[in-house]
Amino acid sequence: MKTNSKLFTIGLVTAWYSSNIGVLLLNKYLLSNYGFRYPIFLTMCHMTACSLLSYIAIAWMKMVPMQTIRSRVQFFKISALSLVFCVSVVFGNISLRFLPVSFNQAVGATTPFFTAVFAYLMTLKREAWLTYLTLVPVVAGVIIASGGEPSFNLFGFIMCISATAARALKTVLQGILLSSEGLGMFMPFAPALFCMA
């Protein structure tokens, strides 16, 4: 039984990484190579697929218990998380039209930097100095990569940085809202809100 549980967990993690990489490469192919000009439509397809698959996982497969929204406050908090996540995916898809996937992923490596900044600004939580020190080479590497990127596009770069910042903001908001008293119900909605983070 324990082995089955471990295999199931490994399968879920593998499926998450595979779908993440697959969607990223497919979006890049459609937006750049194929010339598809509607990144927001791709985001709508992404969100629809996440919602449907989450509903199947919750309602039919019973992976987590179905729960209802109990108050207007919970509804607004879920909506805020959804909106920030949607913005990060839209900006990420737009950036893929102008930047190579490799550079896009390099910029995405700055997510911990933005997360630390937002965590400090929103919760006044300070990390250990060693944490901040480890972020310096990551940010420096992205700056160096930006200067040497042959297909650098300023608009694409701004969209990519904005997507990365939105992803970090979502992480901080998620931590705040999930730890709020009486808001444990958020976890069942996690697949819908946070698939393909």
Side-chain angles (χ1 to χ4, degrees):
M1 186 74 171
K2 198 171 184 181
T3 306
N4 288 342
S5 178
K6 284 183 181 179
L7 288 175
F8 181 70
T9 302
I10 291 170
L12 286 178
V13 171
T14 303
W16 185 84
Y17 274 107
S18 301
S19 64
N20 195 350
I21 293 167
V23 168
L24 181 68
L25 293 175
L26 180 62
N27 284 346
K28 178 62 179 175
Y29 173 76
L30 290 173
L31 294 167
S32 294
N33 301 354
Y34 188 69
F36 190 75
R37 297 185 177 272
Y38 306 102
I40 296 176
F41 177 76
L42 289 179
T43 303
M44 185 193 75
C45 293
H46 178 149
M47 296 297 165
T48 303
C50 284
S51 298
L52 290 174
L53 292 173
S54 295
Y55 182 78
I56 291 169
I58 294 169
W60 292 353
M61 297 175 69
K62 308 289 186 191
M63 294 178 80
V64 290
M66 177 73 81
Q67 294 188 26
T68 58
I69 297 172
R70 294 187 291 260
S71 70
R72 186 173 290 178
V73 173
Q74 287 180 341
F75 174 77
F76 284 126
K77 290 182 177 183
I78 291 171
S79 298
L81 285 173
S82 300
L83 178 65
V84 172
F85 177 58
C86 187
V87 165
S88 74
V89 175
V90 168
F91 286 175
N93 284 347
I94 292 172
S95 72
L96 283 172
R97 187 157 179 246
F98 301 97
L99 300 174
V101 172
S102 56
F103 185 60
N104 192 291
Q105 291 298 292
V107 173
T110 60
T111 302
F113 166 76
F114 286 106
T115 303
V117 169
F118 284 128
Y120 178 72
L121 292 175
M122 296 176 72
T123 65
L124 299 178
K125 178 185 174 190
R126 290 186 185 214
E127 302 293 335
W129 66 270
L130 189 58
T131 302
Y132 294 115
L133 189 63
T134 58
L135 295 175
V136 172
V138 174
V139 174
V142 170
I143 292 170
I144 293 168
S146 301
E149 176 60 43
S151 54
F152 180 83
N153 179 287
L154 182 60
F155 179 72
F157 180 72
I158 290 170
M159 288 293 100
C160 192
I161 285 287
S162 300
T164 303
R167 196 176 308 122
L169 178 61
K170 181 207 67 155
T171 301
V172 174
L173 284 175
Q174 180 180 333
I176 293 170
L177 298 180
L178 288 176
S179 63
S180 298
E181 186 177 350
L183 296 179
M185 57 80 65
F186 274 102
M187 199 53 73
F189 290 94
L193 294 174
F194 313 119
C195 67
M196 269 285 303

